[in-house]
Amino acid sequence: DAGITQSPRHKVTETGTPVTLRCHQTENHRYMYWYRQDPGHGLRLIHYSYGVKDTDKGEVSDGYSVSRSKTEDFLLTLESATSSQTSVYFCAISESNRQETQYFGPGTRLLVL
Amino acid sequence: GEDVEQSLFLSVREGDSSVINCTYTDSSSTYLYWYKQEPGAGLQLLTYIFSNMDMKQDQRLTVLLNKKDKHLSLRIADTQTGDSAIYFCAESPHLAGNMLTFGGGTRLMVKP
C-alpha cells in the first residue's frame, strides 16, 4: 500500500466548531488532493496541491481551506463546521498529475451535529 | 455541467459475468475511468480508456465505450466474491487529477 495516512479516522463535532483533518504521506509525491464522498455523488474534489504552498480549488471548495507547509502533510480545515459537511473525506496523492498514478488514503468519517 | 450516471446496485452469482454500466453527458470527455472501492477503503483505479478506443481488455476486465451514445461499461468475467465492492465510473477532459467527474457508484454483490 502507498504510504498515506489520514487522521483522525472518525470525528464527531458540533456545528460552528473548527475542524482540521490531516493527510500524511511518506512517498514524497508532489500532488495531494482532498475529496468528499457522499451517497449518490461519487467523489468530489475539494482542493488540491501541486507543491509546497501551492494549492488550488476544486469543485466543492466553499467552506473549506487547505494548507501545505511541507511535502508530506496536507491539511483540510473546516473553519466553522456545518451539518452539510458531514461526509467521508478522502485524501489522495500522486507523483504526477496523471490520473493513473493517484493513490487514496483510508478516509476520515466526519459527523457534524 | 457534466453528469455521470450509474445504476445503484447489481447482484450476480459467483462465476457469472458482471456488467456495470455508466452514461455521461460531457461530449469533451477524453478519458473514462473505472474505480473500485472496497468497504472502509479508498478508491483504487482499475482501468481507464481513451475516447478514441472502443474496447480495452485487462485480464478479467473488459471496458467497452460507445462514444456516440456516451455509454461506458465494465465487464468482469468469472466474478468472484472478492469482486464485491462499489464501482465508480469517472470522466475527465484531460489526463489530470483535478478534472475528474465521478458517477454515484454501483454496488456489486457477488453471491456464492
Side-chain angles (χ1 to χ4, degrees), chain B:
Chain B
E2 303 91 354
D3 203 14
V4 180
E5 298 284 342
Q6 300 178 238
S7 53
L8 285 176
F9 187 75
L10 177 65
S11 178
V12 300
R13 292 218 170 267
E14 191 174 19
D16 289 349
S17 291
S18 308
V19 179
I20 303 171
N21 294 301
C22 170
T23 58
Y24 59 97
T25 59
D26 188 0
S27 58
S28 66
S29 296
T30 302
Y31 293 91
L32 297 124
Y33 307 85
W34 283 106
Y35 286 83
K36 177 183 180 182
Q37 184 181 32
E38 296 181 357
L43 272 66
Q44 173 193 358
L45 179 66
L46 287 178
T47 187
Y48 69 96
I49 190 168
F50 188 55
S51 62
N52 68 352
M53 299 167 65
D54 297 325
M55 185 182 84
K56 183 177 181 181
Q57 188 156 5
D58 183 3
Q59 299 182 342
R60 292 190 298 120
L61 305 179
T62 302
V63 178
L64 294 176
L65 175 62
N66 181 330
K67 194 176 180 184
K68 173 176 171 290
D69 294 338
K70 298 190 181 69
H71 182 266
L72 183 74
S73 67
L74 174 70
R75 179 177 181 270
I76 306 173
D78 187 26
T79 312
Q80 304 297 307
T81 55
D83 295 323
S84 293
I86 302 176
Y87 291 82
F88 291 92
C89 167
E91 64 85 19
S92 173
H94 307 289
L95 191 62
N98 59 319
M99 300 290 289
L100 284 172
T101 300
F102 284 85
T106 299
R107 182 179 295 275
L108 174 65
M109 177 180 289
V110 183
K111 298 178 182 178

Side-chain angles (χ1 to χ4, degrees), chain A residues 1-62:
Chain A
D1 291 342
I4 176 169
T5 57
Q6 294 183 229
S7 59
R9 293 293 313 279
H10 303 272
K11 186 169 181 68
V12 180
T13 191
E14 293 185 346
T15 298
T17 59
V19 176
T20 296
L21 308 183
R22 179 181 182 234
C23 178
H24 179 77
Q25 60 146 329
T26 58
E27 304 296 320
N28 202 36
H29 284 356
R30 179 181 174 190
Y31 292 85
M32 299 185 77
Y33 309 84
W34 275 109
Y35 293 90
R36 61 178 288 173
Q37 183 181 32
D38 303 291
H41 283 279
L43 268 69
R44 292 180 290 177
L45 183 66
I46 305 171
H47 283 278
Y48 67 101
S49 170
Y50 47 97
V52 173
K53 298 193 189 313
D54 291 323
T55 65
D56 205 350
K57 295 179 179 180
E59 178 188 355
V60 290
S61 59
D62 287 348

Side-chain angles (χ1 to χ4, degrees), chain A residues 6-22 76-79 81-83 85-89 107-113:
Chain A
Q6 294 183 229
S7 59
R9 293 293 313 279
H10 303 272
K11 186 169 181 68
V12 180
T13 191
E14 293 185 346
T15 298
T17 59
V19 176
T20 296
L21 308 183
R22 179 181 182 234
L76 177 71
T77 297
L78 291 64
E79 300 290 347
T82 66
S83 58
Q85 293 175 311
T86 292
S87 187
V88 181
Y89 291 86
T108 294
R109 190 173 293 273
L110 176 67
L111 174 62
V112 183
L113 300 175

